[in-house]
Amino acid sequence: IISEIDVATFINTLSEKDRKILGLRMNGCTYEEIAKEVGYKNHSGVQKRITKIGLAYQEFTKVDLGFDEEN
């Protein structure tokens, strides 16, 4: 089980932009809404960042959450 401390530690390893993207996603924003908020032209960049964050989290926790580089 991942503790809140572990999650906070992981989040602190992210860039400011990735923390914002993750926070918006965790609050239920769509990829399109996040793209607009962070200044991306479309949702594709957000999807790539979410996948990158997911891969980093899997590496951090050593738990396979189903993220792969082809998502």
Side-chain angles (χ1 to χ4, degrees), residues 14-19 21-22 31 34 38 40 43-56 67:
L14 300 175
S15 69
E16 184 176 334
K17 184 175 261 188
D18 284 348
R19 283 194 302 269
I21 289 170
L22 181 59
Y31 290 160
I34 297 168
V38 298
Y40 285 0
H43 72 280
S44 178
V46 174
Q47 285 179 298
K48 290 176 184 174
R49 297 303 290 192
I50 293 290
T51 298
K52 180 182 172 197
I53 293 166
L55 289 167
F67 284 93

